[in-house]
Each structure stands twice: as C-alpha cells, then as structure tokens.
Amino acid sequence: MFEPVIAPSGTLLGLLQRGRGDGTLHALTAPRAEALAALNHCVLRDPRHDWQVENRSLYYARLYLDLNGELDEIEAHLFGAEDVLDTEECRTGLALAVLGHLASYGRRDALEMLRRYAASGANWAWALDELALRDDDAGLRALAAPVLARFPADPEGEAELATAVRDAFEPRPWRLWADDPRSSVATRVRAAQEAGCFDRWQRQLRSRGPQPGWSVQAVFDWAQQGIERGAVLHVPAARCLTAVAGPEDRPEIVRAARSGGDGARCTALRYLADGNDPEALDLIEDALVTGSALVADAAVDAFERMRSVAAVDRARGWARRPDALGAAAGRVLACRGGAQDRDLVLAALREAVRGEGPDAPTLWTLVDGAGRLGIACAAPVLRHVYRETASSHLRGRAARALAATDPSFAAGLAVECLWDCEESTREIAARHAETGDVRVVERLRRLAADPAEEAEVQTAVRSRIGPDMPTV
C-alpha cells in the first residue's frame, strides 16, 4: 500500500483525513456536494498511516448520517474490477467498517451491501465480521452457501477453509453454520473447526525456540542465526538469558556486550540493561561508537527501558547529544524525569518538531512528558502538533497534554475534540470542554444517547450532565 497523501490541515479534505473534530464541523457548513466529495475521498482512499490502530470508521459513518450521504461511490469501489486485481484488506477495509457502523444505525442499504460483498467480494472475511456484529441469524445463514462455495471440496480447499475458520475475528457465523440443518453445510464447518484446533496444537509442538538446558552461548548463537535469517531475535533471546544465566556467567555476557557479534551484542546489552547492571550504561554509550547500526539501535532501545536512578541521571547528561542517544535521553526524562528536567524535555520537544516535523515517532513520548510535567511553555508546540499531525493517536496525546498545560484548552480545542475520530480524545473533551458553549451541551447529550459510542466516553459525558447544565 502506498503512503497516503494528506492535504493541508487548513482544508476540508485535510481535516477529514486527519479525523479532526473540525472536519465534521466544517463539512456540516460546507456545500453538501463538496462535503460528500471530500468524505468519499477519505473512505475510498484510506488516509491513515497505520490503518490497524487508528480509528476513522465511526467518524466517517456519523458524517454520512449527518449529510444523508448516498453510498453509490462506496458501492462502485467495492464491486469494481479492481476488487479482483487488488485483494489487500487495506483497500476495502475502511469502506466495509463504515458500512458496518451505518448498518448499526439502521441504514438498510449499508446492510444489504455488506451481505452482497460477503457473498462475492475479495475481502469477504472482513464483511462477514462486520455482519457478525450487526446482522440477524437469518441473514447470516443465507451466506453459508456462497461463502463455503469459495472453498473447493478437495484437500487443499478444506485446508483453506480450516484456516479461514481458525483465523476468523468473529466466530458467530461459523458457529451458526456448524448447527445448520443442511448437513452439507454443518459437516464441512464442523470438520474445519476441528482441523483448526488440531493445527493450532501442532504449531505449538513445532516450536524451534530455546530448549531446556541451553547455555549462554547457545542463546547467543540462536540470536545470531535469527539475524542471518532476517529475523531480529535479541529481545526474546534476552528473556531466555534471564532463565539460563547465573552470576558466574556475567563476565561472558559483559564481553559479548562489548565486542561480540551483532546477535550476541544486542542480546547482552538488552539483558544487562533490564537487570540494571552497573556497567550497562557505559556499554550502551560505547555501542553507539563501535557497534553496527543494528547494535546501536538495540543499545538505544535498551537504555530507554531502564528505570534506575542512575539511568535518569545519565539521561540528563546525554540529553543535549545530537544523536539517537540524545533523543532517547529526552524521552527517558519525559517518562521518568522530574520538575528539574522540564527545560530539557521542552528543548527535545521543540527540536523534534523542528527537525522531523509533526509526525515524528519520538513525539509520542515527548508530548506525553510535556503533559506529565505540566510544561506550560510547551502549549504552543503542542497546539502545532495537534493541528498538523496526520496521526489521530498523536493528536489525542497532544490534546491530553494540552488539558494539563493550556488554560485555554477547555474553551478552545476541547470543543472540537468532542467530534474527534478517536474515542480517547472524545473522552478527554467530554471531561474538559466548557459547557458555556451551546454546541458542547448539544454534543454531550447526543453522545450520551448514541448506542455506538464507547462506554468510557459515555461515562465521561454523564459525569458532566447534571441539573445545572445549560439547556439547549
């Protein structure tokens, strides 16, 4: 999948792609045709950088409802020729999830489209999962025949069917079909369920990982073999060392951390850092000078996991370094530093935004740290990250930090956050948004009555609704 192209944050399309609350508010005041065009663009060309964790489907579904939007373009997207040529889940997953939410809101056309796609579409398993949550038993039973017809009645087809049953996210349809009165359906599904359970048991027996009685050197060799195969195994290898190594093995592990091969060195550094070994910090610093890129990355990761007082003290000395270890030191102080470290964390935050932009991975930790430490001077940078980042998760973290650092948050950005695509961001807004704004009161009441809203958001909303709340 190609990286999505995100429009500027000041445009309607850019706001909707980011999932910002202002996107909904602007769409509702824009010409309907323009708003629907931007909405369809987002749903048919998933704008998320990480489609597996970022939320957009409920956000877009609600806007379809508010705009009374037609589903013609989604239908053309799902049932066009490209569905045969490009079967990746990321091409159709967002559209199917949006249809699922629309079906739960009572849109019959969305439900029927999901049924048709589950019967004939390439990403049928996703559509079936959506229907498992929303369709009735009769609708699901009607899909048994077309779904099973996808799998030939030969050994290869039965194996594929067993895999599909085993990996199904929602088991409800398969359980219904296992009890289907048609023996041709029930017999195949039950056999597939049994085969899936047996396969899972066999995979557990085929483990090629560490075995009882391994030595320290055997663990190092396993980690090196992983690198040679293209698999980075130093993290599980370090956990193995915890079970294998004794006090008498420390000299060997320290030697490996100082001058061993990449697999052994990464493993030893992780093990020593997790154990707060007195030499770990010096070995980590040396690894950035003498180690490969893989070793340097492992050393930085190991340092960030350390929670000792010595590690925090060393971070204060490393925070101004212009390298990866300096950046990691800023993150360590953001997580575990004290009030005296506010200037260092603020400097790291500003440098990250200036040097890497509003989507830099390091910002997740630094933004959290600015909020945790209550760095009021960070509010302008946090507002910039909030507005410009394409990551809805990072924007939510910025909102949480602003709630702790920016006195204007309750009457400003918290209001738009009530329409945000992430439930955690809506929860923050529900707890902080100033109810003197009539839009806030109306939105809180709507969220409280929406059966699709997350329980945490509704709990926060109900904590704000009381007899003294202004009427709409």
Side-chain angles (χ1 to χ4, degrees):
M1 179 181 178
F2 294 106
E3 281 294 310
V5 177
I6 305 300
S9 62
T11 64
L12 175 58
L13 177 59
L15 290 170
L16 290 178
Q17 287 177 315
R18 289 168 172 81
R20 278 182 54 182
D22 256 5
T24 295
L25 297 175
H26 279 64
L28 295 177
T29 59
R32 182 173 178 273
E34 178 186 344
L36 282 174
L39 176 58
N40 284 321
H41 184 283
C42 293
V43 173
L44 307 187
R45 301 168 185 81
D46 194 336
R48 295 170 293 181
H49 283 282
D50 191 343
W51 63 275
Q52 293 179 309
V53 298
E54 291 190 47
N55 295 315
R56 291 291 190 283
S57 55
L58 179 59
Y59 172 84
Y60 293 143
R62 283 171 168 168
L63 190 50
Y64 271 112
L65 291 176
D66 290 339
L67 295 172
N68 194 25
E70 302 84 2
L71 304 180
D72 297 351
E73 292 200 29
I74 292 181
E75 183 177 22
H77 179 72
L78 292 178
F79 296 98
E82 192 175 357
D83 192 59
V84 178
L85 302 174
D86 183 358
T87 59
E88 292 294 324
E89 287 185 337
C90 53
R91 192 189 79 84
T92 53
L94 179 57
L96 293 171
V98 168
L99 290 178
H101 284 298
L102 288 174
S104 69
Y105 279 118
R107 286 281 297 257
R108 188 73 186 181
D109 52 347
L111 180 65
E112 295 294 343
M113 198 179 300
L114 279 174
R115 288 173 174 171
R116 286 172 51 209
Y117 190 82
S120 62
N123 194 9
W124 62 272
W126 192 311
L128 187 61
D129 285 337
E130 295 292 339
L131 289 168
L133 298 173
R134 281 115 182 165
D135 208 352
D136 55 28
D137 287 356
L140 291 175
R141 287 196 178 99
L143 291 171
V147 168
L148 292 179
R150 295 174 177 274
F151 304 95
D154 55 30
E156 184 178 349
E158 298 300 344
E160 292 175 355
L161 175 59
T163 300
V165 174
R166 184 196 68 206
D167 296 341
F169 191 75
E170 293 292 341
R172 180 179 164 226
W174 302 102
R175 290 173 179 169
L176 278 173
W177 299 342
D179 295 328
D180 196 282
R182 294 166 292 181
S183 60
S184 60
V185 172
T187 301
R188 288 194 74 187
V189 173
R190 287 174 186 168
Q193 289 174 328
E194 293 174 1
C197 293
F198 181 71
D199 180 62
R200 189 177 294 110
W201 175 71
Q202 280 189 315
R203 286 192 297 172
Q204 291 172 344
L205 294 180
R206 289 196 297 264
S207 172
R208 297 181 181 179
Q211 304 294 325
W214 272 27
S215 65
V216 168
Q217 186 58 49
V219 174
F220 288 155
D221 292 342
W222 180 62
Q224 184 61 39
Q225 291 164 9
I227 292 176
E228 293 168 359
R229 298 196 310 269
V232 180
L233 298 176
H234 67 269
V235 174
R239 290 197 294 267
C240 292
L241 274 188
T242 302
V244 168
E248 69 279 4
D249 297 307
R250 182 180 176 276
E252 180 183 0
I253 296 172
V254 170
R255 283 195 301 272
R258 183 175 290 115
S259 58
D262 282 3
R265 197 170 185 183
C266 292
T267 302
L269 287 168
R270 180 75 167 222
Y271 170 81
L272 294 171
D274 285 352
N276 289 318
D277 188 277
E279 290 193 55
L281 291 166
D282 291 334
L283 291 168
I284 287 170
E285 188 172 22
D286 180 64
L288 266 78
V289 178
T290 63
S292 65
L294 179 64
V295 170
D297 289 343
V300 170
D301 290 342
F303 169 61
E304 285 196 63
R305 289 173 53 84
M306 298 182 72
R307 282 161 172 72
S308 64
V309 174
V312 175
D313 287 340
R314 191 68 67 95
R316 294 182 177 117
W318 287 345
R320 291 186 173 85
R321 289 177 57 133
D323 59 9
L325 193 55
R331 294 191 292 270
V332 168
L333 294 177
C335 291
R336 293 179 281 281
Q340 70 271 33
D341 302 310
R342 288 174 177 169
D343 290 344
L344 291 174
V345 174
L346 177 59
L349 176 64
R350 287 171 171 166
E351 180 59 30
V353 172
R354 183 165 50 244
E356 301 179 58
D359 293 312
T362 190
L363 286 175
W364 291 56
T365 304
L366 295 174
V367 164
D368 285 349
R372 183 182 73 85
L373 296 172
I375 307 175
C377 294
V381 183
L382 294 172
R383 286 194 291 268
H384 174 76
V385 172
Y386 174 95
R387 293 189 177 100
E388 298 300 327
T389 183
S391 167
S392 54
H393 278 192
L394 178 55
R395 182 175 64 252
R397 288 172 180 254
R400 189 179 301 277
L402 284 166
T405 60
D406 185 2
S408 68
F409 176 73
L413 292 178
V415 175
E416 87 157 82
C417 286
L418 288 169
W419 284 265
D420 197 87
C421 66
E422 295 290 344
E423 64 266 19
S424 57
T425 307
R426 296 196 297 275
E427 180 184 356
I428 295 166
R431 297 191 184 281
H432 292 92
E434 176 55 60
T435 56
D437 188 326
V438 67
R439 295 176 302 169
V440 172
V441 178
E442 181 181 6
R443 183 61 174 172
L444 289 176
R445 296 193 186 279
R446 182 171 176 179
L447 291 175
D450 191 336
E453 188 52 80
E454 296 292 333
E456 292 81 1
V457 178
Q458 292 193 326
T459 298
V461 168
R462 292 185 183 112
S463 72
R464 302 292 305 281
I465 294 178
D468 57 341
M469 174 175 279
T471 58
V472 179

PDB file of all heavy atoms in Angstrom, residues 405-422:
ATOM      1  N   THR A 405      -1.719  21.620  30.371  1.00  0.00           N
ATOM      2  CA  THR A 405      -0.769  22.729  30.258  1.00  0.00           C
ATOM      3  C   THR A 405      -1.370  24.024  29.740  1.00  0.00           C
ATOM      4  O   THR A 405      -0.791  25.094  29.959  1.00  0.00           O
ATOM      5  CB  THR A 405       0.384  22.338  29.312  1.00  0.00           C
ATOM      6  OG1 THR A 405      -0.157  22.025  28.011  1.00  0.00           O
ATOM      7  CG2 THR A 405       1.149  21.138  29.835  1.00  0.00           C
ATOM      8  N   ASP A 406      -2.513  23.966  29.050  1.00  0.00           N
ATOM      9  CA  ASP A 406      -3.046  25.139  28.361  1.00  0.00           C
ATOM     10  C   ASP A 406      -4.372  25.571  28.980  1.00  0.00           C
ATOM     11  O   ASP A 406      -5.385  24.881  28.843  1.00  0.00           O
ATOM     12  CB  ASP A 406      -3.253  24.791  26.878  1.00  0.00           C
ATOM     13  CG  ASP A 406      -3.682  25.990  26.053  1.00  0.00           C
ATOM     14  OD1 ASP A 406      -3.784  27.092  26.620  1.00  0.00           O
ATOM     15  OD2 ASP A 406      -3.919  25.821  24.842  1.00  0.00           O
ATOM     16  N   PRO A 407      -4.418  26.714  29.661  1.00  0.00           N
ATOM     17  CA  PRO A 407      -5.669  27.183  30.281  1.00  0.00           C
ATOM     18  C   PRO A 407      -6.792  27.429  29.277  1.00  0.00           C
ATOM     19  O   PRO A 407      -7.971  27.402  29.643  1.00  0.00           O
ATOM     20  CB  PRO A 407      -5.253  28.488  30.978  1.00  0.00           C
ATOM     21  CG  PRO A 407      -3.764  28.397  31.133  1.00  0.00           C
ATOM     22  CD  PRO A 407      -3.284  27.619  29.964  1.00  0.00           C
ATOM     23  N   SER A 408      -6.439  27.656  28.003  1.00  0.00           N
ATOM     24  CA  SER A 408      -7.470  27.936  27.004  1.00  0.00           C
ATOM     25  C   SER A 408      -8.034  26.673  26.367  1.00  0.00           C
ATOM     26  O   SER A 408      -8.932  26.764  25.518  1.00  0.00           O
ATOM     27  CB  SER A 408      -6.886  28.828  25.896  1.00  0.00           C
ATOM     28  OG  SER A 408      -5.916  28.126  25.128  1.00  0.00           O
ATOM     29  N   PHE A 409      -7.554  25.520  26.761  1.00  0.00           N
ATOM     30  CA  PHE A 409      -7.971  24.279  26.111  1.00  0.00           C
ATOM     31  C   PHE A 409      -9.470  24.032  26.270  1.00  0.00           C
ATOM     32  O   PHE A 409     -10.157  23.662  25.313  1.00  0.00           O
ATOM     33  CB  PHE A 409      -7.182  23.100  26.686  1.00  0.00           C
ATOM     34  CG  PHE A 409      -7.597  21.758  26.151  1.00  0.00           C
ATOM     35  CD1 PHE A 409      -7.274  21.384  24.854  1.00  0.00           C
ATOM     36  CD2 PHE A 409      -8.313  20.863  26.934  1.00  0.00           C
ATOM     37  CE1 PHE A 409      -7.668  20.147  24.345  1.00  0.00           C
ATOM     38  CE2 PHE A 409      -8.700  19.626  26.439  1.00  0.00           C
ATOM     39  CZ  PHE A 409      -8.377  19.271  25.143  1.00  0.00           C
ATOM     40  N   ALA A 410     -10.019  24.246  27.460  1.00  0.00           N
ATOM     41  CA  ALA A 410     -11.419  23.910  27.720  1.00  0.00           C
ATOM     42  C   ALA A 410     -12.376  24.680  26.817  1.00  0.00           C
ATOM     43  O   ALA A 410     -13.390  24.136  26.366  1.00  0.00           O
ATOM     44  CB  ALA A 410     -11.754  24.169  29.191  1.00  0.00           C
ATOM     45  N   ALA A 411     -12.061  25.934  26.551  1.00  0.00           N
ATOM     46  CA  ALA A 411     -12.944  26.751  25.722  1.00  0.00           C
ATOM     47  C   ALA A 411     -12.527  26.740  24.260  1.00  0.00           C
ATOM     48  O   ALA A 411     -13.236  27.296  23.417  1.00  0.00           O
ATOM     49  CB  ALA A 411     -12.955  28.195  26.232  1.00  0.00           C
ATOM     50  N   GLY A 412     -11.399  26.101  23.939  1.00  0.00           N
ATOM     51  CA  GLY A 412     -10.887  26.101  22.575  1.00  0.00           C
ATOM     52  C   GLY A 412     -10.917  24.731  21.930  1.00  0.00           C
ATOM     53  O   GLY A 412     -11.953  24.240  21.510  1.00  0.00           O
ATOM     54  N   LEU A 413      -9.751  24.090  21.869  1.00  0.00           N
ATOM     55  CA  LEU A 413      -9.638  22.824  21.148  1.00  0.00           C
ATOM     56  C   LEU A 413     -10.474  21.713  21.757  1.00  0.00           C
ATOM     57  O   LEU A 413     -10.874  20.779  21.052  1.00  0.00           O
ATOM     58  CB  LEU A 413      -8.166  22.401  21.087  1.00  0.00           C
ATOM     59  CG  LEU A 413      -7.252  23.288  20.228  1.00  0.00           C
ATOM     60  CD1 LEU A 413      -5.814  22.805  20.293  1.00  0.00           C
ATOM     61  CD2 LEU A 413      -7.728  23.324  18.780  1.00  0.00           C
ATOM     62  N   ALA A 414     -10.763  21.784  23.056  1.00  0.00           N
ATOM     63  CA  ALA A 414     -11.585  20.732  23.667  1.00  0.00           C
ATOM     64  C   ALA A 414     -12.963  20.659  23.030  1.00  0.00           C
ATOM     65  O   ALA A 414     -13.570  19.579  22.965  1.00  0.00           O
ATOM     66  CB  ALA A 414     -11.710  20.971  25.171  1.00  0.00           C
ATOM     67  N   VAL A 415     -13.468  21.781  22.544  1.00  0.00           N
ATOM     68  CA  VAL A 415     -14.795  21.783  21.923  1.00  0.00           C
ATOM     69  C   VAL A 415     -14.774  20.952  20.648  1.00  0.00           C
ATOM     70  O   VAL A 415     -15.626  20.083  20.439  1.00  0.00           O
ATOM     71  CB  VAL A 415     -15.251  23.222  21.632  1.00  0.00           C
ATOM     72  CG1 VAL A 415     -16.577  23.221  20.883  1.00  0.00           C
ATOM     73  CG2 VAL A 415     -15.368  24.007  22.933  1.00  0.00           C
ATOM     74  N   GLU A 416     -13.792  21.191  19.781  1.00  0.00           N
ATOM     75  CA  GLU A 416     -13.742  20.400  18.546  1.00  0.00           C
ATOM     76  C   GLU A 416     -13.435  18.935  18.821  1.00  0.00           C
ATOM     77  O   GLU A 416     -13.842  18.049  18.074  1.00  0.00           O
ATOM     78  CB  GLU A 416     -12.750  20.976  17.544  1.00  0.00           C
ATOM     79  CG  GLU A 416     -11.326  20.499  17.687  1.00  0.00           C
ATOM     80  CD  GLU A 416     -10.522  20.629  16.379  1.00  0.00           C
ATOM     81  OE1 GLU A 416     -10.041  21.735  16.096  1.00  0.00           O
ATOM     82  OE2 GLU A 416     -10.349  19.616  15.680  1.00  0.00           O
ATOM     83  N   CYS A 417     -12.719  18.650  19.917  1.00  0.00           N
ATOM     84  CA  CYS A 417     -12.376  17.262  20.238  1.00  0.00           C
ATOM     85  C   CYS A 417     -13.612  16.405  20.505  1.00  0.00           C
ATOM     86  O   CYS A 417     -13.539  15.175  20.433  1.00  0.00           O
ATOM     87  CB  CYS A 417     -11.450  17.204  21.455  1.00  0.00           C
ATOM     88  SG  CYS A 417      -9.756  17.723  21.125  1.00  0.00           S
ATOM     89  N   LEU A 418     -14.738  17.011  20.816  1.00  0.00           N
ATOM     90  CA  LEU A 418     -15.961  16.231  21.019  1.00  0.00           C
ATOM     91  C   LEU A 418     -16.409  15.520  19.744  1.00  0.00           C
ATOM     92  O   LEU A 418     -17.180  14.571  19.801  1.00  0.00           O
ATOM     93  CB  LEU A 418     -17.091  17.146  21.513  1.00  0.00           C
ATOM     94  CG  LEU A 418     -16.971  17.639  22.955  1.00  0.00           C
ATOM     95  CD1 LEU A 418     -17.989  18.739  23.220  1.00  0.00           C
ATOM     96  CD2 LEU A 418     -17.156  16.491  23.935  1.00  0.00           C
ATOM     97  N   TRP A 419     -15.926  15.970  18.590  1.00  0.00           N
ATOM     98  CA  TRP A 419     -16.262  15.338  17.307  1.00  0.00           C
ATOM     99  C   TRP A 419     -15.074  14.545  16.756  1.00  0.00           C
ATOM    100  O   TRP A 419     -15.117  14.105  15.624  1.00  0.00           O
ATOM    101  CB  TRP A 419     -16.670  16.407  16.293  1.00  0.00           C
ATOM    102  CG  TRP A 419     -18.051  16.964  16.472  1.00  0.00           C
ATOM    103  CD1 TRP A 419     -19.191  16.556  15.852  1.00  0.00           C
ATOM    104  CD2 TRP A 419     -18.449  18.048  17.324  1.00  0.00           C
ATOM    105  NE1 TRP A 419     -20.262  17.308  16.256  1.00  0.00           N
ATOM    106  CE2 TRP A 419     -19.839  18.246  17.162  1.00  0.00           C
ATOM    107  CE3 TRP A 419     -17.760  18.886  18.214  1.00  0.00           C
ATOM    108  CZ2 TRP A 419     -20.557  19.217  17.847  1.00  0.00           C
ATOM    109  CZ3 TRP A 419     -18.467  19.849  18.899  1.00  0.00           C
ATOM    110  CH2 TRP A 419     -19.850  20.012  18.713  1.00  0.00           C
ATOM    111  N   ASP A 420     -14.028  14.348  17.525  1.00  0.00           N
ATOM    112  CA  ASP A 420     -12.818  13.699  17.030  1.00  0.00           C
ATOM    113  C   ASP A 420     -13.081  12.225  16.686  1.00  0.00           C
ATOM    114  O   ASP A 420     -14.010  11.598  17.204  1.00  0.00           O
ATOM    115  CB  ASP A 420     -11.706  13.783  18.081  1.00  0.00           C
ATOM    116  CG  ASP A 420     -10.329  13.498  17.500  1.00  0.00           C
ATOM    117  OD1 ASP A 420      -9.705  14.457  17.005  1.00  0.00           O
ATOM    118  OD2 ASP A 420      -9.901  12.331  17.522  1.00  0.00           O
ATOM    119  N   CYS A 421     -12.218  11.659  15.840  1.00  0.00           N
ATOM    120  CA  CYS A 421     -12.400  10.265  15.417  1.00  0.00           C
ATOM    121  C   CYS A 421     -11.965   9.268  16.481  1.00  0.00           C
ATOM    122  O   CYS A 421     -12.398   8.111  16.449  1.00  0.00           O
ATOM    123  CB  CYS A 421     -11.617  10.006  14.125  1.00  0.00           C
ATOM    124  SG  CYS A 421      -9.821  10.099  14.315  1.00  0.00           S
ATOM    125  N   GLU A 422     -11.111   9.664  17.426  1.00  0.00           N
ATOM    126  CA  GLU A 422     -10.613   8.741  18.449  1.00  0.00           C
ATOM    127  C   GLU A 422     -11.457   8.866  19.717  1.00  0.00           C
ATOM    128  O   GLU A 422     -11.653   9.961  20.249  1.00  0.00           O
ATOM    129  CB  GLU A 422      -9.146   9.034  18.778  1.00  0.00           C
ATOM    130  CG  GLU A 422      -8.192   8.800  17.635  1.00  0.00           C
ATOM    131  CD  GLU A 422      -8.020   7.333  17.293  1.00  0.00           C
ATOM    132  OE1 GLU A 422      -8.389   6.469  18.121  1.00  0.00           O
ATOM    133  OE2 GLU A 422      -7.521   7.043  16.193  1.00  0.00           O
TER     134      GLU A 422
END
